Amino acid sequence: MTAPDLALGVAGLIGSGVAVIHGRLVQRLMVAPIRQQFSVAPGGQRTMARLVGPLLQFSTFGWFTGGITLIVAAYCLAPDTQFALGLLVGSHFLFGAAANLNATRRAHPGWILMAIAVTLILYSLSAHR
């Protein structure tokens, strides 16, 4: 395994790890209270209660599957495929880091870890070209 492959795999581990922690926190701190609030509301509000969880966890799912994809790419796939997947997943991680930085406006583990993952992806991609 080369250093660029290792960097891609580590970026995947970081992305998936951040996703798991993010998912648990979002579920506990946001989804559960919002669902409870909407569950006592009349009619159409219950539809919103069912949508809250999947919508708030959509980014979690993307980060987790993106991380797993990078790990698999690092170990099993050709450099051209790694490059394409690195661009796709890296852009998703970059958006997550930027959104988190914009929301927190301070040092926060979420955007810092995602920024590290993006840096590792960029290193891996630059080494393959």
Side-chain angles (χ1 to χ4, degrees), residues 101-116:
L101 174 61
N102 183 51
T104 60
R105 304 213 183 229
R106 60 179 174 80
H108 184 276
W111 73 258
I112 292 170
L113 287 168
M114 293 306 266
I116 291 169

Side-chain angles (χ1 to χ4, degrees), residues 1 87 96 108 122:
M1 173 172 272
L87 283 176
H108 184 276
L122 289 173

Side-chain angles (χ1 to χ4, degrees), residues 18-78:
V18 167
V20 169
I21 294 166
H22 176 269
R24 292 179 58 87
L25 289 173
V26 164
Q27 191 68 31
R28 185 175 50 134
L29 300 174
M30 296 176 76
V31 174
I34 292 171
R35 262 198 195 148
Q36 186 176 11
Q37 180 182 1
F38 281 125
S39 67
V40 296
Q45 300 280 329
R46 290 192 181 142
T47 301
M48 288 176 49
R50 288 190 301 269
L51 280 172
V52 165
L55 289 175
L56 287 173
Q57 296 290 11
F58 185 73
S59 59
T60 303
F61 175 77
W63 294 334
F64 184 77
T65 56
I68 297 300
T69 300
L70 290 180
I71 294 167
V72 170
Y75 287 99
C76 303
L77 301 177

